[in-house]
Amino acid sequence: MNKEFLDAFADLKKEKNLSQEEIIGAIKDSIENAYKKNYGASNVRVEVDMETGDVTVLMGLEVVEEVEDDLTQISIEEAKEIYDGYEIGDVVEYQIDPKDFNRIAAQGAKQVFVQKNREAERINSYNEFISKKGQIVTGRVERINNGTMLVSLGRTEGRVPNSEQVRTESFKPGDRIKVYVMDVKKDNKGPQVLLSRSHPGLVRGLFELEIPEIADGTVEIKGIAREAGSRTKIAVYSKDENVDPVGACVGNRGARVQNITDELFGEKIDIIVWDEDPAVFISNVLRPAIVEGVYINEDEKSATAVVPEQQLSLAIGREGQNVRLAARVSNWKIDIKSNDQLREMGFAFDEYEDADDVSEAAAAEHTEDQIIEETSDEGTDA
């Protein structure tokens, strides 16, 4: 073997994304295994000069008083003829010419190298994608098999099971697609990459990609709740009092958030201001309904929000969607009532901490551009 041989593998290194050390290791292992398999020699050591490409194969023989195995032992008398300082138990190494390989040995070396190459590729692919777990990657739809969408991610293929797809979306082979990496597992055939289009992390990742203030940490996403294909509520907070978190996410004339909704095939997005005061925060997450007051039960982490009678359906949302998403994004149990309903139920106001009532005037401070694609009509999607 010579430098030309290593140059060929250097090309392979670029194609397969293998390090030079991995290639040299594969060469060593392949030669050692070929000798062991074809000559029964278990005491072979290989050295590769990474500068010249020269390969040295060394056979090690243990110095013994009486030789029982010519392949692994040498007598003390023979050893001392080589070097007088050898003693019983020492190992004498001598060089074997790799050209002595027969066709079978060479083929064995090739097979071992191919195997090592594949193992290294699998490890590299796994390491590449395990670092992307919880992130968004872009791929190309290869095919759809029994409801599972298979996506090419370069050297690796990921899968989007039917349960992680969105019923309102439609993709075909050849389409470019952004997906969320849910999990990566090792497998003999390569990493198994589980992808999703319905995970809330996809929306979070799109905001991180699209909004510079989120990417640099000025604006923080405090919570997110999603019903894929229909609606998402996302709570944001600005660490800089001079930066409006909602305005940063919406962008000029809504351009930033529009790019995100386009990627999500028109999914509605409510962008909400996070507040450390749970009463204020809960009033925000129930948008677009106007909240007159919020009563907090800290022990049970539950809240009763009071809304005008005519806005009950808007606050609850179609099939309870608005209040359901509000509860998930805020991590509070939320009940929606009107003042009349509370009185009819004999609501015990004194049992609750009195949060500052959120008046219509205070609620109006949160302008309409906080709610993207909001529906203002009662009884419609919230």
Side-chain angles (χ1 to χ4, degrees), residues 200-372:
L202 179 66
V203 181
R204 178 185 289 272
L206 290 173
F207 269 84
E208 291 170 351
L209 290 172
E210 189 69 32
I211 315 301
E213 290 83 354
I214 292 179
D216 66 20
T218 303
V219 174
E220 182 180 349
I221 297 174
K222 287 288 192 176
I224 185 167
R226 183 186 186 200
E227 293 192 355
S230 178
R231 197 177 206 101
T232 288
K233 283 184 182 285
I234 181 168
V236 293
Y237 167 76
S238 175
K239 298 176 181 178
D240 185 341
E241 62 182 12
N242 296 317
V243 175
D244 172 18
V246 173
C249 293
V250 172
N252 186 29
R253 297 184 179 179
R256 288 178 174 180
V257 75
Q258 187 61 51
N259 290 337
I260 298 172
T261 56
D262 289 346
E263 174 63 34
L264 299 174
F265 288 78
E267 183 171 313
K268 297 176 182 178
I269 301 175
D270 296 350
I271 305 174
I272 302 149
V273 177
W274 178 86
D275 198 287
E276 62 182 356
D277 184 335
V280 176
F281 184 34
I282 289 169
S283 74
N284 290 346
V285 298
L286 286 171
R287 290 275 164 189
I290 294 175
V291 178
E292 294 181 326
V294 178
Y295 298 91
I296 298 294
N297 186 325
E298 291 280 1
D299 294 336
E300 296 182 6
K301 203 170 183 182
S302 64
T304 299
V306 184
V307 300
E309 184 75 30
Q310 65 272 23
Q311 293 217 358
L312 273 173
S313 60
L314 185 61
I316 295 170
R318 182 178 295 173
E319 297 180 349
Q321 183 187 66
N322 193 55
V323 68
R324 186 166 58 247
L325 288 174
R328 283 162 51 191
V329 75
S330 65
N331 202 27
W332 280 77
K333 297 177 183 177
I334 302 176
D335 193 16
I336 310 291
K337 300 292 181 184
S338 68
N339 276 312
D340 290 342
Q341 287 177 325
L342 292 179
R343 292 189 183 92
E344 290 173 3
M345 294 169 58
F347 183 75
F349 291 90
D350 294 340
E351 293 180 7
Y352 288 81
E353 288 185 32
D354 282 332
D356 291 337
D357 281 355
V358 183
S359 66
E360 290 191 18
E365 292 180 3
H366 302 291
T367 57
E368 290 183 0
D369 64 359
Q370 294 179 8
I371 307 300
I372 306 305

Side-chain angles (χ1 to χ4, degrees), residues 161-179:
N162 191 57
S163 59
E164 295 300 325
Q165 297 176 35
V166 181
R167 59 180 178 80
T168 56
E169 296 180 347
S170 178
F171 295 99
K172 62 183 183 300
D175 286 348
R176 299 285 292 177
I177 182 174
K178 285 186 172 66
V179 284

Side-chain angles (χ1 to χ4, degrees), residues 17 68 85 101 317 328:
N17 196 29
E68 296 180 356
F101 270 168
R328 283 162 51 191

Side-chain angles (χ1 to χ4, degrees), residues 144-203:
I144 299 173
N145 187 12
N146 294 327
T148 296
M149 186 160 53
L150 301 173
V151 180
S152 173
L153 303 171
R155 296 185 305 275
T156 302
E157 189 175 73
R159 59 188 181 89
V160 186
N162 191 57
S163 59
E164 295 300 325
Q165 297 176 35
V166 181
R167 59 180 178 80
T168 56
E169 296 180 347
S170 178
F171 295 99
K172 62 183 183 300
D175 286 348
R176 299 285 292 177
I177 182 174
K178 285 186 172 66
V179 284
Y180 176 79
V181 181
M182 290 183 62
D183 198 10
V184 183
K185 296 181 179 179
K186 286 184 177 179
D187 188 88
N188 290 334
K189 296 181 180 179
Q192 298 297 303
V193 185
L194 180 62
L195 308 171
S196 177
R197 281 287 299 180
S198 63
H199 197 283
L202 179 66
V203 181

